[in-house]
Amino acid sequence: MVANDPDAGQIGSFSIISGNTNGTFVINPSNGVITVSNSNGLNFENTQTFTLTVQVQDDGAGSLSSQANVTINVVNINEPPLVNNQSYSVLENSPNGTIVGSFSASDPDAGQTLAYSILSGNINNDFVINATTGVITVANSLNLNYETTTSFSLLINAQDNGNGNLSSQGVATITLIDQNEPPSIGNQQFSVNENSGNGTFVGNVLATDPDLGQNISFSIISGNTDNAFGINASTGTIS
């Protein structure tokens, strides 16, 4: 601020007396230099213009003063998107196209659009993200196996369309929900002599379960004419 005093030798003292919302600016009382004192108050999306009333007061008899308005225009600049880490869950073996969730981000600059992409963590292209909406879906159902991998951590990039195409990243953690899967059993063949006595070992039926820690129970449901055979429910041994 520039001020003049018609009285030679007097010194003026500057101060801001109104318009300084949130204490955004400060003025040097000796030389009138205005500087930023609260950068959080300089948000173009909230306030585009400040009108400060500045007073200069002399040190003469009566300490006379005058005021003038200072208009400070805030110049808009592009700011990066705002992104937080986010968590989702999905059933193992979910079919391709199953929606996992929507990755959300915001941009402090009004009117800008964001483009989403997966930067890392999508090792076997297990998931895909919609570049416009941020919706994450299953893309490789075969790899959603809880017994192999219980969770995935995808690094998601959100890029604006403003000057410089600024971007920010966040982690999308996808946890697989375990679900019971049927045992696996194949056709098997054994042989036994005719007239073999009761209790004669015929063979062991082999079966596996993809779910860790589960027990399998065996039973014969058809084809056992005259109850010729029995099967051990726990071991699968036919006799």
Side-chain angles (χ1 to χ4, degrees), residues 5-238:
D5 196 299
D7 300 299
Q10 289 192 7
I11 298 174
S13 177
F14 295 90
S15 61
I16 301 172
I17 59 175
S18 68
N20 194 18
T21 306
N22 297 320
T24 305
F25 305 98
V26 65
I27 191 168
N28 186 302
S30 301
N31 58 27
V33 172
I34 300 172
T35 54
V36 174
S37 63
N38 178 12
S39 61
N40 291 328
L42 296 180
N43 187 340
F44 181 85
E45 284 67 40
N46 292 333
T47 306
Q48 291 80 48
T49 302
F50 292 83
T51 301
L52 308 182
T53 301
V54 174
Q55 175 176 275
V56 59
Q57 181 173 299
D58 67 21
D59 60 349
S63 298
L64 303 180
S65 63
S66 296
Q67 294 86 37
N69 289 335
V70 179
T71 300
I72 301 176
N73 296 312
V74 180
V75 179
N76 191 24
I77 61 172
N78 192 21
E79 299 167 275
L82 303 175
V83 179
N84 293 318
N85 296 335
Q86 294 158 56
S87 299
Y88 312 92
S89 59
V90 65
L91 287 172
E92 67 170 331
N93 305 317
S94 293
N96 291 347
T98 300
I99 295 177
V100 176
S102 292
F103 192 85
S104 61
S106 60
D107 198 295
D109 300 296
Q112 291 193 5
T113 58
L114 299 176
Y116 298 91
S117 61
I118 301 174
L119 295 182
S120 65
N122 199 21
I123 299 173
N124 295 306
N125 295 318
D126 304 314
F127 304 96
V128 65
I129 191 168
N130 185 297
T132 303
T133 64
V135 171
I136 300 172
T137 53
V138 174
N140 189 355
S141 176
L142 295 178
N143 284 329
L144 300 190
N145 187 345
Y146 180 87
E147 284 68 39
T148 302
T149 306
T150 58
S151 65
F152 300 82
S153 294
L154 309 181
L155 183 63
I156 307 296
N157 186 68
Q159 179 174 295
D160 67 21
N161 64 338
N163 184 31
N165 296 121
L166 301 181
S167 62
S168 297
Q169 295 80 44
V171 175
T173 300
I174 302 173
T175 301
L176 293 187
I177 301 172
D178 190 21
Q179 60 177 347
N180 193 20
E181 299 167 273
S184 297
I185 187 172
N187 295 335
Q188 296 162 57
Q189 184 172 325
F190 309 102
S191 60
V192 64
N193 291 330
E194 64 173 334
N195 303 318
S196 293
N198 291 347
T200 299
F201 174 81
V202 176
N204 276 325
V205 175
L206 300 179
T208 60
D209 195 296
D211 299 298
L212 299 176
Q214 291 193 4
N215 296 318
I216 296 175
S217 179
F218 296 89
S219 61
I220 300 173
I221 58 175
S222 68
N224 195 19
T225 305
D226 296 328
N227 293 317
F229 302 97
I231 190 170
N232 187 296
S234 300
T235 64
T237 298
I238 297 177

